[in-house]
Amino acid sequence: MSGHGTPIPMTSQKCGPLKGTANVPGDKSISHRALILGAMAVGETKITGLLEGQDVLDTGRAMQALGAEVVRHGAGEWSVHGVGVGGFREPEQVIDCGNSGTGVRLIMGAVATHGFATTFTGDASLNKRPMGRVTDPLALFGAQAVGRSGERLPLTLVGTDTPTPVEYATPVPSAQVKSAVLLAGINAPGKTVVVEKEATRDHTERMLRGFGAEVVVEEVAEGHKITLTGQPELTPQEVAVPRDPSSAAFPVCAALIVEGSEILVPGVSQNTTRNGLYTTLVEMGADITFENPREEGGEPVADLRVRHSQLKGIEVPPERAASMIDEYPILSVVAAFAEGKTVMTGVKELRVKECDRIDAMARGLEACGVTVDETEDSMTVHGCGPDGVAGGATCATFIDHRIAMSFLVCGMASQEPISVDDGSPIATSFPVFEKLMRGLGAQISSQGD
Ligand code: S3P
């Protein structure tokens, strides 16, 4: 079964101004999808800028186990020789998705409409996360799942080779659930329909179109309706993965709270299903200029010039949650350095991420001297002002990369250093985090440095 490596304690301390350019790695969501759709097309898909984080590498290995050929040619340069729609073969071994909820849920969708069984597992974090949200709609196609209690991994999904197309309204705002249904729908005859109340990240829809599938998106009374025509011929593509706005959030937020900082973060997505954090930061008073707007890898992007700013607490509207769901941990750090309170509502999905992110941030921030109120669905951070966060604590990261990076950023501007018990999960999404942040002037050290 998947393990989780030796913990790597890390420490971050107050530093001088952050300066320079932060070239963050490729988008994690888009990287997973490029490998999976590449594996479902006939012929060679070429990918540049692929995120070489552990989560994505695990998805690449899974595609190989299902019969595709996945080859690395150089840094971020990969090719996938796909097997065509309906062409996956039964894997010989258990598919281990490590820490990745996106990996496992999307792959479950992709295999659900193939007539064989696949067993999935992951690390201690992933094996606690709910899979019923994906296996329920996949059952409508005819796939059957048997997992541990609460539909948790390890889990075996027996796919069907006589799928019926499905019309499904997602009960939670989740791009993973939407994508799992669409990926299953690729190998189902007829039209598969997903309706979501609030629009979640739309990379699957965009990339499906790019590979030649027919995808129609409409605004209807119930929300956002996506219709996919099944069993298309997917044509291999050249996919240029844009940079990850969720990774960009860490240097951006660090520059906002470290006095005297000014940095440039090129190529940050302005896709409205991903950019809620940036809207929120501007409302808090952040000095961010959006330069050189353009398109990269099919996504609207801009270069962000970010300067240290005096920030004020705000109420983040709940309807914005889906567009910044991965950014609440780092936003709660920024909120700690603002004047006044920041209220985040409609965020209960944070409780089922790599860890319970509301709880993890509240406990860690409290240990650093910040007052946090939480309810099942909300988190309120009482700002301490630019110099008011005490720090001086060791925060638990619960095998969660974003919790680890958030507290390391917090330590860059707190009075006393902040340590994390385990920074090793950072490698799942942002393997060059420490190097990149040090290059800007951060003082981060890992055990063993
Ligand atoms: C993702 C969707 C989100 C997000 C995750 C990536 C994706 O999860 O938190 O990091 O690539 O589809 P949910 O679908 O659970 O909201």
Side-chain angles (χ1 to χ4, degrees):
M1 191 172 111
S2 174
H4 162 69
T6 315
I8 304 178
M10 294 175 76
T11 301
S12 160
Q13 65 187 64
K14 203 175 180 80
C15 56
L18 301 176
K19 299 276 180 192
T21 299
N23 284 312
V24 303
D27 190 278
K28 183 151 70 73
S29 295
I30 296 175
S31 295
H32 282 294
R33 287 157 172 84
L35 290 171
I36 296 170
L37 287 184
M40 295 174 107
V42 181
E44 187 186 13
T45 285
K46 293 182 179 166
I47 308 172
T48 52
L50 188 85
L51 169 66
E52 294 180 339
Q54 194 54 47
D55 280 9
V56 175
L57 299 179
D58 288 337
T59 289
R61 250 190 297 276
M63 291 305 105
Q64 252 170 323
L66 291 165
E69 201 185 311
V70 181
V71 182
R72 182 177 192 267
H73 301 283
E77 267 182 57
W78 292 66
S79 62
V80 183
H81 288 264
V83 293
V85 171
F88 284 143
R89 62 148 201 250
E90 185 171 76
E92 285 168 19
Q93 296 290 345
V94 171
I95 301 278
D96 187 342
C97 291
N99 191 247
S100 181
T102 306
V104 76
R105 291 182 175 134
L106 268 55
I107 299 166
M108 278 188 198
V111 297
T113 46
H114 289 72
F116 56 73
T118 311
T119 300
F120 295 92
T121 193
D123 69 7
S125 155
L126 188 59
N127 287 4
K128 284 191 198 136
R129 298 179 67 184
M131 296 298 145
R133 55 178 54 200
V134 168
T135 54
D136 287 352
L138 296 182
L140 303 175
F141 286 96
Q144 287 178 303
V146 183
R148 290 192 305 132
S149 58
E151 291 293 281
R152 280 161 224 268
L153 305 179
L155 177 153
T156 297
L157 186 74
V158 183
T160 173
D161 50 13
T162 52
T164 35
V166 160
E167 179 151 354
Y168 191 68
T170 53
V172 287
S174 166
Q176 293 174 359
V177 174
K178 168 178 67 178
S179 302
V181 175
L182 292 173
L183 291 172
I186 292 178
N187 196 34
K191 294 193 191 300
T192 288
V193 178
V194 183
V195 181
E196 45 180 10
K197 276 197 205 91
E198 299 139 44
T200 61
R201 66 191 68 196
D202 60 357
H203 309 303
T204 304
E205 299 90 301
R206 284 172 183 257
M207 206 181 280
L208 273 169
R209 277 210 199 99
F211 275 77
E214 194 186 317
V215 179
V216 177
V217 179
E218 298 159 277
E219 297 309 323
V220 294
E222 297 77 26
H224 204 65
K225 179 179 175 187
I226 303 125
T227 305
L228 165 73
T229 304
Q231 298 180 326
E233 179 95 352
L234 296 183
T235 322
Q237 296 298 304
E238 295 196 358
V239 181
V241 179
R243 298 179 195 282
D244 195 325
S246 299
S247 296
F250 295 99
V252 166
C253 291
L256 290 175
I257 62 171
V258 174
E259 203 178 337
S261 298
E262 177 174 341
I263 64 166
L264 185 72
V265 190
V268 179
S269 177
Q270 300 300 297
N271 178 328
T272 53
T273 64
R274 290 293 294 279
N275 71 349
L277 173 75
Y278 300 99
T279 308
T280 302
L281 292 173
V282 169
E283 286 175 7
M284 293 174 80
D287 182 351
I288 304 179
T289 44
F290 298 81
E291 300 175 354
N292 193 15
R294 60 195 181 279
E295 193 154 295
E296 266 178 19
E299 295 276 327
V301 301
D303 303 333
L304 269 50
R305 189 169 298 281
V306 188
R307 298 178 186 87
H308 171 244
S309 305
Q310 302 297 322
L311 302 165
K312 58 177 194 306
I314 61 159
E315 287 193 15
V316 186
E319 59 276 13
R320 195 178 290 161
S323 68
M324 55 179 290
I325 195 65
D326 290 336
E327 282 67 76
Y328 284 98
I330 188 62
L331 176 64
S332 68
V333 167
V334 170
F337 291 89
E339 300 287 354
K341 62 180 186 182
T342 297
V343 185
M344 299 163 248
T345 50
V347 294
K348 63 173 180 288
E349 274 296 295
L350 295 179
R351 295 202 180 273
V352 290
K353 295 295 177 186
E354 283 80 335
C355 74
D356 177 341
R357 285 181 171 164
I358 296 180
D359 193 60
M361 290 311 298
R363 298 294 81 75
L365 284 171
E366 277 164 2
C368 294
V370 182
T371 303
V372 181
D373 306 322
E374 58 172 294
T375 69
E376 182 55 24
D377 194 31
S378 77
M379 172 161 62
T380 299
V381 176
H382 296 262
C384 304
D387 300 312
V389 177
T394 297
C395 302
T397 61
F398 304 101
I399 324 182
D400 188 326
H401 52 132
R402 298 199 203 282
I403 302 298
M405 291 186 278
S406 295
F407 283 119
L408 291 170
V409 168
C410 196
M412 293 173 201
S414 57
Q415 292 156 9
E416 298 295 329
I418 294 177
S419 299
V420 295
D421 63 345
D422 184 11
S424 67
I426 294 172
T428 62
S429 70
F430 198 163
V432 296
F433 172 78
E434 186 181 346
K435 187 165 166 242
L436 182 146
M437 294 306 303
R438 278 191 191 176
L440 298 174
Q443 293 197 34
I444 303 181
S445 56
S446 313
Q447 197 179 63
D449 278 354

